[in-house]
Amino acid sequence: ILLAIFLVYSNTLGFKFVYDDRGQILANVQVHAWRYVPNYFFERVWSFAYPGIHGNYYRPLFLLFLLLNYKLFGPYAAGWHLVSVAAHMGVTYLVYLLARRLTGDNGTALMSALIFGLHPVHIESVAWISGITDPLVALFLLPAFLCYLNARERTARRRAWLAGSLAVYGLAMLSKETALILPIIIFVFDWLWQGAPRTALL
């Protein structure tokens, strides 16, 4: 499945920087040098271009991701796209793990991962470099939920699993604002699955 995903998105390696990529990456000196890292935690994403205007995009880990990629690939888009595809593959694997955990069935988990990984709804997030915020937040959000499931179903080391869930969730919150949805996911999950046998989640 991961190989199929890579093959489907391999043509994006020839794509260029477009739209916000040019402003957020190529024209943003704050993601070109390490000395700007402290600013990531006190300013919003577009503060370098619009310092006097308030905004809602607080994404320090996203900015750190841009810096690391710029140090690795500079202004050459192919490397950036390769990382985007790899991130989507990572999220797909996490979807597989979550589906297997919830259903206890490997076939269902594989089918879920296949549908998720190849569904065209993800094209913008994978093919557009600046769209990496969606896979990036998912790379933290899904492990946070998996850690919560461990804390919920296993008495041993429950506090450690909860602490891990909160820690990874904190990283998700620093990646994109939509990470706020995790408490809602947990609430809905507990509401729908409260009568399910514990063995179904192990």
Side-chain angles (χ1 to χ4, degrees), residues 68-80 82-83:
L68 292 173
N69 276 270
Y70 194 85
K71 291 300 182 182
L72 289 172
F73 309 115
Y76 303 101
W80 293 79
L82 180 62
V83 171

Side-chain angles (χ1 to χ4, degrees), residues 85-116:
V85 174
H88 181 58
M89 292 168 64
V91 174
T92 301
Y93 180 66
L94 290 170
V95 168
Y96 162 77
L97 293 179
L98 179 59
R100 189 177 65 175
R101 175 68 186 273
L102 294 177
T103 66
D105 182 68
N106 197 53
T108 301
L110 287 170
M111 185 59 65
S112 300
L114 180 65
I115 293 172
F116 177 88

Side-chain angles (χ1 to χ4, degrees), residues 56-62 133-145 165-187:
N56 299 322
Y57 298 130
Y58 179 72
R59 302 171 179 175
L61 282 192
F62 168 61
T133 52
D134 291 328
L136 189 62
V137 71
L139 284 172
F140 295 115
L141 201 63
L142 292 175
F145 186 53
S165 178
L166 288 172
V168 182
Y169 179 55
L171 296 177
M173 287 290 294
L174 295 176
S175 302
K176 191 174 182 180
E177 306 78 21
T178 49
L180 282 168
I181 198 173
L182 182 60
I184 299 174
I185 293 173
I186 290 174
F187 173 79

Side-chain angles (χ1 to χ4, degrees), residues 105-135:
D105 182 68
N106 197 53
T108 301
L110 287 170
M111 185 59 65
S112 300
L114 180 65
I115 293 172
F116 177 88
L118 298 180
H119 199 286
V121 74
H122 302 296
I123 288 176
E124 181 177 291
S125 298
V126 182
W128 179 35
I129 293 173
S130 292
I132 191 64
T133 52
D134 291 328

